[in-house]
Amino acid sequence: MNTIKELQHKIAELFDTRNYMSNPKELYEPIQYSLSQGGKRLRPLLSFMSCALYGGDLNEVKNAAIGLEIFHNFTLLHDDIMDESPLRRGMPSVYQKWDSNTAILSGDTMFVVAYEYVTETKPEYLIDTLRVFNQTAREVCEGQQYDMNFETQGYTTIEDYMEMIRLKTAVLIAAALKIGAIAAGAPKVEHQRIYDFGILIGLAFQLRDDFLDAFGNEETFGKPIGNDIVTDKKTYLYLKAYQLADTDTKTALDKAFALENKKEKIAKVLAIYDTLNILQITEAKINELYLEAKKLLKEVERPEDEKTEVYSFLMKLVKREV
Amino acid sequence: MNTIKELQHKIAELFDTRNYMSNPKELYEPIQYSLSQGGKRLRPLLSFMSCALYGGDLNEVKNAAIGLEIFHNFTLLHDDIMDESPLRRGMPSVYQKWDSNTAILSGDTMFVVAYEYVTETKPEYLIDTLRVFNQTAREVCEGQQYDMNFETQGYTTIEDYMEMIRLKTAVLIAAALKIGAIAAGAPKVEHQRIYDFGILIGLAFQLRDDFLDAFGNEETFGKPIGNDIVTDKKTYLYLKAYQLADTDTKTALDKAFALENKKEKIAKVLAIYDTLNILQITEAKINELYLEAKKLLKEVERPEDEKTEVYSFLMKLVKREV
């Protein structure tokens, strides 16, 4: 099996050799800008890993994997408008660099380009691949809607939150893995198994994101720490804190979140999180998901030594070192 | 062959029996709202007509035809944001009734739903259908971008304008016809012939729209007359007028378009159009496209009596009576 490094190299090559420019340039320049920024390219990597794990030919999954990555980038263009995010990967987001209309229309075009790649899947795997892709795309939209709903509604349960991040984040990771299994001609039971595995990994991945936003290292995380606290984002940490807090602590939390001074607000909220053991509780939840995922991976009907690379990558992913 | 009325009835049934509601309701309510407004449903009708013309089974084109109509409605949701159009089919547009974010995300979801329908095309016709659909979707985005470019740039040639309406309007009409031919298992040469026919019809259809906006009857047109003049829209009429005008008439046109009073502006511009024979010239251009289209339809390798319904519908369409 290829090492992760080799797969990452192949994917970088796939994207770096592609040019998305065409006419009208006002439409395609933002697409070129978005897709040449790189990013982790986690989703195509997962498709390649899964295809390799099931002994498939990487050429069979290549186009669908590119399609997934372009789809992911399309959602970022539109999400950044809706969430009013000025930055993406440390650069001005498309809606900020150009305007909302540009981000809408270039985003729509990226969505089509994603489908163009998926359409070039081998005919015998095309329908299965398209169905996964369609379902995932729809669920990602639903997840984004739930996320926006949560920010305006008074109370959100942890259960609702987990469902939201399943839709917004985990299904795309799961789909990336499933598409690899389909392209490798793996049996149907394995499609579902690797998908379920992906859901657990996706949830852990998002909780780690929540965790790092509060307890991470600004340099390795790549974003300012405490941003979720500053913007009152209803993360796992936030919801867990309110769930565990007694009446006095709830009042203290409300007061802390109402603070105007950003630095003071972050410090105060983190201090309360500390008294409630939010760090340990979140880490335990991530670990629980990780162990469940590991168990599913054990059930995958492939030789154990073929799974070694996946295990080691999984560890890194859940620890967010990739 | 089914009469147009019978086909229209079948299509109305297809849409009226469908419910697009799901959760979260904030995402699906605007979709239900948009798709239950009706409209002409011209595109699925053309798919049905073409499938019937080539002796196909309408069930084979049904899903792709629904997909095309949903795609068309998705583009309206996003276009209405970009063009700041408060009304659509006499009702508040989605971005106006809800907000831009809703129109973006519900629109994206409609795009996925469109692909879900297209995916349910018979496997042997799936790739061809998807390729038409993808290419068309991309070109419609390009057309919208050119349209926006034209509104901000100083000068647009009639040639550029015709290319813009080809992309923005005609390709979807052509694609609807082509998809019908594919689903009927017609020979490849016919796919291209009916597509080229559709482009001519689509161009004529859009020029008729430009024409009616200036010279139409408010009641049958369904929109206030003169809106393109009020908004300085660079239509075929506008561009032709500037192309034909001598220096003095150009100055008069500039002055007329600069008028603040809407009624006066419309009257003044129409008076200049009259001196330049814009009505007759536009009608002649539409007729030229119509005759070219008729010639192509004659070449279609089907019995002439099977084409009668198409001819009569074509007449109505180019006269904008449907």
Side-chain angles (χ1 to χ4, degrees):
Chain A
M1 187 178 163
N2 291 277
T3 64
I4 300 295
K5 273 223 168 335
E6 284 164 358
L7 295 179
Q8 277 172 324
H9 183 72
K10 272 183 211 283
I11 288 162
E13 246 180 9
L14 271 185
F15 279 89
D16 294 346
T17 54
R18 269 182 173 65
N19 186 340
Y20 302 92
M21 275 311 293
S22 184
N23 284 315
K25 68 178 190 344
E26 293 82 0
L27 187 68
Y28 288 99
E29 262 170 8
I31 298 177
Q32 182 69 21
Y33 174 78
S34 161
L35 292 176
S36 63
Q37 277 173 8
K40 286 185 287 285
R41 285 169 184 155
L42 173 62
R43 290 143 198 91
L45 180 61
L46 290 170
S47 293
F48 272 37
M49 277 177 58
S50 167
C51 184
L53 174 65
Y54 287 110
D57 174 355
L58 296 181
N59 279 315
E60 303 298 346
V61 80
K62 196 178 68 182
N63 286 314
I66 296 173
L68 271 184
E69 178 68 7
I70 295 175
F71 168 76
H72 173 60
N73 280 273
F74 140 70
T75 65
L76 301 181
L77 253 70
H78 283 192
D79 283 1
D80 286 344
I81 307 172
M82 294 183 251
D83 304 339
E84 297 177 26
S85 307
L87 288 176
R88 171 66 61 186
R89 297 170 184 143
M91 305 271 282
S93 57
V94 167
Y95 107 94
Q96 186 76 13
K97 189 174 162 78
W98 285 272
D99 52 33
S100 286
N101 286 350
T102 303
I104 292 173
L105 196 58
S106 293
D108 291 346
T109 309
M110 285 169 80
F111 199 1
V112 183
V113 175
Y115 269 108
E116 285 177 347
Y117 277 103
V118 175
T119 300
E120 298 314 310
T121 301
K122 208 182 198 176
E124 61 185 294
Y125 303 132
L126 178 59
I127 296 184
D128 280 348
T129 304
L130 270 171
R131 287 199 177 132
V132 180
F133 194 78
N134 292 337
Q135 185 194 328
T136 305
R138 189 200 271 250
E139 289 180 338
V140 168
C141 292
E142 293 173 356
Q144 168 68 4
Q145 183 68 54
Y146 280 121
D147 196 11
M148 296 196 298
N149 289 355
F150 289 172
E151 294 310 312
T152 53
Q153 77 196 26
Y155 184 71
T156 307
T157 65
I158 288 193
E159 204 186 348
D160 286 345
Y161 179 76
M162 295 302 286
E163 174 62 3
M164 183 275 282
I165 63 171
R166 182 183 77 80
L167 292 166
K168 188 168 172 172
T169 303
V171 295
L172 192 56
I173 284 174
L177 291 163
K178 187 170 175 175
I179 278 173
I182 293 170
K188 288 251 176 188
V189 60
E190 292 293 337
H191 300 185
Q192 191 58 43
R193 194 172 275 149
I194 202 76
Y195 184 87
D196 294 342
F197 166 78
I199 293 291
L200 294 165
I201 294 302
L203 295 175
F205 180 79
Q206 182 57 50
L207 292 193
R208 178 63 68 189
D209 201 66
D210 290 3
F211 178 91
L212 291 176
D213 192 273
F215 306 116
N217 177 314
E218 195 145 326
E219 244 168 78
T220 52
F221 188 48
K223 288 186 275 190
I225 297 301
N227 190 49
D228 287 346
I229 293 172
V230 170
T231 57
D232 305 329
K233 185 133 182 76
K234 285 168 184 153
T235 64
Y236 184 82
L237 286 64
Y238 174 104
L239 295 168
K240 200 74 202 172
Y242 271 97
Q243 190 192 45
L244 296 175
D246 58 21
T247 318
D248 286 353
T249 316
K250 266 192 189 115
T251 313
L253 270 170
D254 287 345
K255 269 191 187 164
F257 272 108
L259 287 167
E260 286 284 334
N261 181 294
K262 283 186 191 183
K263 261 196 159 167
E264 199 188 341
K265 183 175 178 177
I266 296 171
K268 204 83 190 169
V269 171
L270 284 180
I272 304 174
Y273 281 1
D274 196 38
T275 64
L276 294 167
N277 288 324
I278 298 300
L279 184 148
Q280 293 78 2
I281 290 166
T282 309
E283 280 209 313
K285 179 69 188 172
I286 294 169
N287 199 45
E288 183 195 314
L289 290 164
Y290 169 70
L291 291 177
E292 259 191 88
K294 231 176 130 178
K295 220 173 84 187
L296 269 187
L297 187 59
K298 225 177 162 56
E299 287 173 20
V300 164
E301 295 206 353
R302 295 294 298 165
E304 279 307 310
D305 64 331
E306 299 273 312
K307 300 179 191 169
T308 322
E309 280 287 317
V310 186
Y311 278 122
S312 86
F313 181 73
L314 171 57
M315 271 303 288
K316 281 187 195 164
L317 187 65
V318 173
K319 289 194 171 166
R320 296 298 290 271
E321 292 169 356
V322 279
Chain B
M1 188 177 162
N2 292 275
T3 64
I4 300 296
K5 272 223 170 334
E6 284 165 358
L7 295 179
Q8 277 173 323
H9 184 73
K10 271 183 212 282
I11 287 162
E13 246 181 11
L14 271 185
F15 279 89
D16 294 345
T17 55
R18 268 182 173 67
N19 186 340
Y20 302 91
M21 276 310 294
S22 184
N23 284 314
K25 67 179 189 347
E26 293 81 0
L27 187 68
Y28 287 99
E29 263 170 7
I31 298 177
Q32 183 68 23
Y33 174 79
S34 160
L35 293 176
S36 64
Q37 277 174 7
K40 287 186 287 286
R41 281 165 186 155
L42 172 62
R43 289 141 198 93
L45 179 61
L46 291 170
S47 294
F48 272 37
M49 275 176 59
S50 166
C51 183
L53 173 65
Y54 288 109
D57 174 354
L58 296 181
N59 279 314
E60 303 299 346
V61 79
K62 197 178 69 182
N63 287 313
I66 296 173
L68 271 184
E69 178 68 8
I70 296 176
F71 168 76
H72 173 60
N73 280 271
F74 140 70
T75 64
L76 301 181
L77 254 70
H78 283 192
D79 283 0
D80 286 343
I81 307 173
M82 294 182 252
D83 304 338
E84 298 179 25
S85 307
L87 287 176
R88 173 64 63 185
R89 295 170 184 142
M91 305 270 284
S93 57
V94 167
Y95 108 93
Q96 186 76 11
K97 190 175 160 77
W98 286 273
D99 53 33
S100 286
N101 285 351
T102 303
I104 293 173
L105 196 58
S106 293
D108 292 345
T109 309
M110 284 168 80
F111 200 0
V112 183
V113 175
Y115 270 107
E116 285 176 349
Y117 277 103
V118 175
T119 300
E120 297 315 311
T121 300
K122 210 182 197 176
E124 62 187 293
Y125 304 132
L126 180 60
I127 296 184
D128 280 347
T129 305
L130 269 171
R131 288 200 178 131
V132 180
F133 194 77
N134 292 337
Q135 186 195 328
T136 306
R138 188 200 271 250
E139 289 180 338
V140 168
C141 292
E142 292 173 356
Q144 169 68 5
Q145 183 68 52
Y146 280 121
D147 196 12
M148 296 196 300
N149 289 356
F150 289 171
E151 294 311 312
T152 53
Q153 76 197 26
Y155 184 71
T156 306
T157 65
I158 288 195
E159 203 185 350
D160 286 346
Y161 179 76
M162 294 302 286
E163 173 63 3
M164 183 275 282
I165 65 172
R166 183 184 75 82
L167 293 166
K168 188 167 171 171
T169 303
V171 295
L172 193 56
I173 284 173
L177 290 163
K178 185 168 177 177
I179 278 173
I182 293 170
K188 288 251 175 186
V189 59
E190 292 293 337
H191 300 185
Q192 190 58 42
R193 193 172 276 150
I194 203 76
Y195 184 87
D196 294 342
F197 166 78
I199 293 291
L200 295 165
I201 294 302
L203 296 175
F205 181 80
Q206 182 57 48
L207 292 193
R208 179 62 69 188
D209 201 67
D210 290 4
F211 178 90
L212 291 175
D213 192 273
F215 306 115
N217 176 315
E218 193 145 331
E219 244 168 76
T220 52
F221 188 50
K223 287 186 274 191
I225 297 300
N227 190 49
D228 288 346
I229 294 172
V230 170
T231 58
D232 305 329
K233 186 135 181 74
K234 287 170 183 153
T235 64
Y236 184 83
L237 287 63
Y238 174 104
L239 296 169
K240 200 75 203 171
Y242 271 97
Q243 191 192 45
L244 296 176
D246 58 22
T247 318
D248 286 352
T249 315
K250 266 193 191 117
T251 312
L253 269 171
D254 287 344
K255 268 191 188 164
F257 272 109
L259 287 168
E260 286 286 333
N261 181 293
K262 285 186 191 183
K263 262 194 158 170
E264 201 188 340
K265 181 174 180 179
I266 295 171
K268 204 85 190 167
V269 170
L270 284 181
I272 304 174
Y273 282 0
D274 196 35
T275 64
L276 295 167
N277 288 325
I278 298 299
L279 185 148
Q280 292 79 2
I281 290 167
T282 309
E283 279 208 316
K285 178 70 187 172
I286 293 168
N287 198 45
E288 181 195 315
L289 291 164
Y290 169 70
L291 291 178
E292 259 190 89
K294 231 177 129 178
K295 219 173 81 187
L296 269 187
L297 187 59
K298 225 177 162 58
E299 287 173 20
V300 163
E301 296 206 353
R302 296 292 299 164
E304 279 306 311
D305 63 332
E306 299 274 312
K307 300 178 192 169
T308 322
E309 280 288 317
V310 186
Y311 279 122
S312 87
F313 181 74
L314 171 58
M315 272 301 289
K316 282 187 194 167
L317 188 65
V318 173
K319 289 193 170 167
R320 295 298 290 271
E321 291 168 357
V322 282

